[in-house]
């Protein structure tokens, strides 16, 4: 059915809402698989070093999973409103719907769900995504939505973020999202370097890398904070308006950045004040036991001592012995 110069006034079928994020599920599954793999070998670690090793593993995987996952989430800013509004153009039908707006680093996600879902002989349950990433054109996606005949509330919200909109927020959100994404990718790289340095027992430089990771994460939030405090056009639906606030991804990233900051400072402070405690946390106190073996004197008269033990003497402790024949 086509009207008004061949355009569709509404979808001929139901465009079901699909909130499940496949990318997030894949990333979480990979990190949980890594965690499960290392838990299998956990019983092989003896003593209290097992607890410290497990805590380092969990915190390291948590930071990496968060920094990588928030790149693809769409809930950096979220907002919901329930309103009575017109459903489609050239129609006086009014429906009661929940309108949701989720803003991510690469675009906006707009949902529309009826209360109840079935109204005016149609199923009102939509979930539309408009991207402003490098390989997509937001204005073209919006024009395609007009041609398809998306419901009026979705088009009204999406129009606020077009480049031609008087709100002038498209460029600000797009640039801040790109800078925040690039900064988070750098943070992911520095996190990998910190894991590598800690595994090589270079603890001080690993702490520096954690501080750099925290700095990059907090800088990415700063980019979004600046655009959040700019003037926005109101999205009015009758007597109510749709307003957004910081979402789950923003707060989770903030917690991760503060965690990296505390861990990095803790490693640096312990390295300067109590390095033996730091070595204990990273299971490096075994070297002390090895040094005690070198320093322990061994006599052939002892039953627990062998000729091989006597020969294992550091070269610096060798001295000349003069033998006299009887």
């Amino acid at each position: 059915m086509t009207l008004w110069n061949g355009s569709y006034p509404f979808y001929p079928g139901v465009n079901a809402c699909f909130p499940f994020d496949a990318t997030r599920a894949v990333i979480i599954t990979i990190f949980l698989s890594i965690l499960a793999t290392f838990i299998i070998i956990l019983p092989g670690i003896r003593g209290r070093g097992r607890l410290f090793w497990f805590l380092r593993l969990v915190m390291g995987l948590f930071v990496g999973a968060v920094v990588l996952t928030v790149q693809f989430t769409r809930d950096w800013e979220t907002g919901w409103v329930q309103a009575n509004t017109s459903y489609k153009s050239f129609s006086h039908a009014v429906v009661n719907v929940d309108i949701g707006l989720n803003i991510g680093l690469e675009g906006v996600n707009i949902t529309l769900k009826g209360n109840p879902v079935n109204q005016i002989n149609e199923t009102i349950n939509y979930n539309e995504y408009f991207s402003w990433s490098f390989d997509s054109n937001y204005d073209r996606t919006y024009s395609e939505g007009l041609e398809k005949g998306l419901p009026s509330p979705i088009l009204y919200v999406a129009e606020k973020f077009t480049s031609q909109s008087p709100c002038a927020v498209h460029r600000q959100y797009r640039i801040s999202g790109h800078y925040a994404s690039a900064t988070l990718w750098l943070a992911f790289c520095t996190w990998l370097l910190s894991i590598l340095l800690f595994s090589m027992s270079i603890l001080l430089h690993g702490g520096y890398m954690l501080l750099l990771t925290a700095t990059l994460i907090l800088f990415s939030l700063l980019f979004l904070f600046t655009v959040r405090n700019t003037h926005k056009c109101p999205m009015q639906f009758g007597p109510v308006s749709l307003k957004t606030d910081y979402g789950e991804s923003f707060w989770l990233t903030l917690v991760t950045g503060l965690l990296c900051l505390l861990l990095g400072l803790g490693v640096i402070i312990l390295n300067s004040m109590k390095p033996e405690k730091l070595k204990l946390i990273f299971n490096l106190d075994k070297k002390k036991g090895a040094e005690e073996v070198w320093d322990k004197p061994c006599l052939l008269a002892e039953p627990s001592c062998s000729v091989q033990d006597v020969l294992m003497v550091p070269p610096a402790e060798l001295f000349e012995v003069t033998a006299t024949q009887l």
Side-chain angles (χ1 to χ4, degrees), residues 66-77:
V66 170
V67 174
L68 188 59
T69 302
V70 295
Q71 290 275 2
F72 309 99
T73 55
R74 302 173 183 177
D75 55 354
W76 286 84
E77 284 188 39

Side-chain angles (χ1 to χ4, degrees), residues 146-309:
L146 286 173
E147 295 175 0
K148 292 177 181 178
L150 289 176
S152 296
I154 294 179
L155 294 175
Y156 172 72
V157 176
E159 189 272 336
K160 299 293 184 179
F161 294 91
T162 59
S163 60
Q164 304 299 327
S165 173
C167 296
V169 296
H170 173 81
R171 187 171 182 270
Q172 298 173 3
Y173 270 101
R174 186 171 183 267
I175 293 177
S176 63
H178 289 165
Y179 275 109
S181 178
T183 307
L184 287 174
W185 280 119
L186 289 176
F188 184 75
C189 294
T190 56
W191 168 78
L192 289 176
L193 287 176
S194 67
I195 296 297
L196 179 62
L197 291 173
F198 285 137
S199 63
M200 298 172 61
S201 302
I202 309 177
L203 306 183
L204 182 59
H205 291 82
Y208 288 150
M209 282 294 106
L210 272 182
L211 280 183
L212 182 57
T213 302
T215 303
L216 292 172
I217 293 175
L218 297 178
F219 261 104
S220 67
L221 298 179
L222 182 62
F223 291 131
L224 299 175
F225 176 79
T226 54
V227 71
R228 169 73 181 150
N229 288 272
T230 57
H231 176 72
K232 293 184 177 63
C233 289
M235 288 174 276
Q236 201 74 24
F237 296 91
V240 296
S241 60
L242 175 59
K243 298 180 180 180
T244 60
D245 202 353
Y246 294 121
E248 177 184 347
S249 294
F250 181 90
W251 296 115
L252 186 60
T253 306
L254 177 61
V255 170
T256 305
L258 295 178
L259 177 63
C260 290
L261 181 64
L262 293 177
L263 292 177
L265 289 176
V267 170
I268 295 174
I269 293 175
L270 284 178
N271 184 78
S272 60
M273 299 183 63
K274 294 184 177 180
E276 66 281 356
K277 297 289 185 181
L278 184 62
K279 292 180 179 180
L280 178 63
I281 294 176
F282 283 88
N283 298 338
L284 300 180
D285 56 333
K286 296 179 180 179
K287 293 183 178 180
K288 183 178 179 181
E291 292 175 359
E292 292 176 356
V293 172
W294 284 103
D295 296 338
K296 181 180 178 180
C298 183
L299 300 177
L300 286 174
E302 298 179 359
S304 61
C305 184
S306 62
V307 177
Q308 183 179 4
D309 295 331

Side-chain angles (χ1 to χ4, degrees), residues 32-78:
L32 287 179
S33 301
I34 297 174
L35 178 61
T37 302
F38 281 100
I39 288 179
I40 294 175
I41 66 175
L42 185 63
I45 302 177
R46 299 180 179 179
R48 55 185 175 181
R50 179 187 305 173
L51 176 61
F52 291 134
W53 185 86
F54 181 74
L55 291 177
R56 296 198 314 269
L57 174 66
V58 172
M59 287 187 291
L61 292 178
F62 172 78
V63 172
V66 170
V67 174
L68 188 59
T69 302
V70 295
Q71 290 275 2
F72 309 99
T73 55
R74 302 173 183 177
D75 55 354
W76 286 84
E77 284 188 39
T78 59

Side-chain angles (χ1 to χ4, degrees), residues 81-86 94-99 112-113 115 236-241:
V81 68
Q82 183 177 356
N84 294 314
T85 180
S86 60
V94 177
V95 293
N96 184 268
V97 292
D98 287 328
I99 306 169
L112 182 70
K113 187 174 183 179
N115 293 312
Q236 201 74 24
F237 296 91
V240 296
S241 60

